Amino acid sequence: MGRPVPTATHCPYCSFQCGIRVVAGNRPAVLTPWEDFPTNRGGLCGKGWRAAELLDHPERILVPLVRSHRDAPLRPTSWDDALDRIVVAVRRSQLRYGPDSVGCFGGGGLTNEKAYQLGKFARVALRSASIDYNGRFCMSSAAAAANKAFGIDRGMPFPVQDIAKADVIMLVGSNPAETMPPVMQWFDEGRAAGARHIVVDPRATPTALGSALHLQPVPGTDLALANGLLHLAVREGLVDEEYVATRTAGFEAVRRTVRAYWPDRVERITGVPTAAMREAVRLLGEASSAMVLTARGAEQHSNGTDTVLAFVNLALALGLPGRPHSGYATVTGQGNGQGGREHGQKADQLPGYRGLDDPAARAHVAAVWGVDPGELPGPGRSAYEMLDRLGVDVRVLLVMASNIAVSAPRSDHVGKRLGALDFLVVSDFFLSETAARADVVLPTAQWAEEDGTVTNFEGRVLRRRRALPPPDGVWTDLEILRALADRLGRGRYFADDPRTVFDELRRASAGGPADYAGITYERIDAEQGVFWPCPAEDHPGTPRLFTERFATPDGRARFHPVEHKEPREVPDHEFPYRLTTGRSLQHYQSGAQTRRVPALMAIEPDAYVELHPTVARRVGVSANELVRLRTRRGTAVFRARITENIRPDTVFVPFHWVGANALTNPELDPRSRMPEFKACAVSVSRID
Ligand code: SF4
């Protein structure tokens, strides 16, 4: 017997999708870095290093689970019994309440094939408009802004290697040193060569502490800061007038708007000193190459789309997008955060980033699917709006790759809505907090046990390759969807083989904004990923967008005048601090996976709150004591972590544990329908 051959694949967690190799001759599987993969070059973070530990985890679900009534415990059953129960519930609900009473909730971690198939399953097998996914909580404001400004939503319109070559980078609301550490090699390479990096964050994160300049605004005031920076750029003659005249439209309205954002006023709103703003804008405006990168800190607000647009305005005015080693980008979060938002699991979307309300798009996709365009439902409700109507309009819910009981805003309320459903189905590999409430739990394959593609934060389509089979009795999500479609009499429309599904996705996306028509599994293997758009097999793919034109009808990027507005909640007598949320180094998203990894839990075992020493003194707590946080939606208890790295008017909690989102505000951005996770009013009290 020779030594087992490692399978080259990708980490199951964040959107950097580090290349890894899995040796799976004997279980447990062993994971090693993929040294020559071009993005991470062998680098992995602690989460990635330990991803294989979950494949044989003792808590893994290996058989379908059902309960006979709401208060009964879950018990093992056969696949036939589990699937039959689901179909009975679907049929009963749709007969009584109509097709939209059965909903689907997907995830940004699903492969492209699964995200595509789930969208198709909702529209073709269920004929329901009720589908959305957790990416709505994560990327939708950046997506809405990019579509408005550039005519296309690819988070990063250039390869990650360009980061090392930019002379100046402004990172807004992004903390890659903790959320995707291997990407820091590109920032570090730039810094070693003399690049200056500016970080905008209310916390002095490890990323901020390593930067040349840290701007520490009050949460929820980033838009005012961006307008203030543009005001200064105009005043100091840093606007690239030729670029603005030849490559953009609409600047004059923005120039007028930012006149009102004079430095003293912006300092009063944001708390950022005028001198720091001047230094930042001079660094950006005088550099020969510069980038503006934004992430969740800018986006997760009730004005998230406008906030992103304000930074896009700044980048456009300085002439950055499309220039060498320059540009504007959003740093996507979830593993398939980019691909997962392109192929139809969004409430208003068809594959290829087409609009569900566009007759031509409906006709094209319906022809690929072999159905009548008139059969396709219209757009449905966004994620939180659908969750808020569970048990009312949506009576049966199928959840795939999402732990909404932890990750949705106002999670206590969402928990009650889940409890009001007639029937809840969850496919997962662990009994997550959401799965634990289900009527049927379907055990599903993990990342290393099935084939598929993901699209990383650069827009590079990658292959997740199967390194080992799933445990006996565990199915893939594609097999689950096919089996359900079969039982619903629509099985002829659904394949369960990833390659067949991907080939269909290619046809469905052809001609759309996210065009995968020319991408094949073989090309991905040969080229270490292919950048979309790639409309034909002889097309090279598109590593860099916007070098000649933007994806708007006239090829020009669009400015949009935007105004600062306060978050929906600001501190008052009863709730005197601002609460902001985010990620920690050791954990990922709702923690359903990383909270089951002993080595990660040994370092970061439970939920904590970061408090400035002045807040701790005022409240009377010492490090590691328990404190209660309370907002208008709920309360939760955290261990105090006292640090000077946070503003004294702000407290921070990571959202990987139950409790953080019991506090957060579901106020939605009017365009992206993204909730305001990043700013609400909170009180802090000591627990005696
Ligand atoms: Fe995985 Fe992201 Fe860590 Fe890379 S940076 S190992 S993709 S979690």
Side-chain angles (χ1 to χ4, degrees), residues 166-454:
D167 290 339
V168 174
I169 298 178
M170 175 179 270
L171 266 163
V172 185
S174 177
N175 178 21
E178 288 191 293
T179 57
M180 50 176 74
V183 82
M184 290 306 291
Q185 62 187 288
W186 301 106
F187 289 91
D188 292 343
E189 200 171 300
R191 286 176 192 176
R196 310 291 305 277
H197 294 167
I198 307 159
V199 171
V200 178
D201 198 309
R203 301 164 61 218
T205 61
T207 312
L209 291 170
S211 67
L213 180 62
H214 176 206
L215 312 184
Q216 203 167 2
V218 174
T221 65
D222 291 343
L223 190 158
L225 178 66
N227 277 1
L229 294 174
L230 186 46
H231 173 106
L232 284 168
V234 172
R235 210 155 85 178
E236 303 203 1
L238 295 170
V239 171
D240 186 334
E241 300 288 354
E242 192 199 333
Y243 178 98
V244 167
T246 57
R247 301 218 48 196
T248 72
F251 182 54
E252 286 316 311
V254 170
R255 200 195 296 263
R256 281 194 298 278
T257 299
V258 301
R259 269 187 206 134
Y261 289 80
W262 56 89
D264 290 350
R265 179 187 172 215
V266 174
E267 180 174 332
R268 277 197 302 280
I269 296 171
T270 64
V272 176
T274 302
M277 284 189 262
R278 275 214 173 82
E279 188 183 347
V281 84
R282 282 183 189 149
L283 281 171
L284 274 175
E286 290 170 359
S288 54
S289 58
M291 293 177 175
V292 177
L293 310 180
T294 60
R296 304 305 82 70
E299 295 157 21
Q300 290 178 322
H301 295 281
S302 57
N303 66 345
T305 305
D306 282 355
T307 302
V308 175
L309 284 170
F311 284 100
V312 171
N313 288 342
L314 177 66
L316 288 172
L318 298 175
L320 306 182
R323 286 266 173 81
H325 312 140
S326 297
Y328 167 81
T330 55
V331 185
T332 302
Q334 291 196 74
N336 194 25
Q338 180 68 53
R341 68 182 190 261
E342 297 166 356
H343 297 297
Q345 62 176 329
K346 274 169 105 168
D348 53 354
Q349 191 194 61
L350 288 170
Y353 225 124
R354 290 182 155 96
L356 192 49
D357 54 2
D358 172 1
R362 293 171 68 89
H364 171 84
V365 174
V368 173
W369 288 351
V371 300
D372 188 302
E375 278 184 33
L376 301 178
R381 291 187 174 95
S382 74
Y384 182 76
E385 292 167 295
M386 178 164 69
L387 297 179
D388 192 34
R389 301 294 295 171
L390 297 183
V392 183
D393 301 320
V394 173
R395 318 285 302 212
V396 174
L397 186 69
L398 168 60
V399 179
M400 241 171 211
S402 189
N403 187 10
I404 43 187
V406 176
S407 62
R410 198 186 171 198
S411 56
D412 286 355
H413 171 71
V414 168
K416 286 187 191 126
R417 300 308 336 148
L418 286 169
L421 282 166
D422 294 340
F423 205 80
L424 174 62
V425 183
V426 175
S427 91
D428 208 324
F429 28 86
F430 292 118
L431 203 60
S432 70
E433 287 78 0
T434 309
R437 297 160 186 256
D439 298 283
V440 174
V441 183
L442 302 175
T444 188
Q446 290 196 46
W447 57 284
E449 298 164 347
E450 57 184 339
D451 279 311
T453 61
V454 289

Side-chain angles (χ1 to χ4, degrees), residues 11-18 20 40 43-49 179-183 583 588:
C11 173
Y13 295 118
C14 85
S15 65
F16 198 32
Q17 285 299 293
C18 292
I20 54 178
N40 62 308
L44 295 178
C45 74
K47 299 182 286 286
W49 270 111
T179 57
M180 50 176 74
V183 82
R583 284 168 54 185
Y588 181 70

Side-chain angles (χ1 to χ4, degrees), residues 510-530:
D515 191 334
Y516 283 40
I519 304 175
T520 63
Y521 278 18
E522 287 71 26
R523 280 194 66 183
I524 298 172
D525 290 346
E527 300 170 35
Q528 293 194 318
V530 181

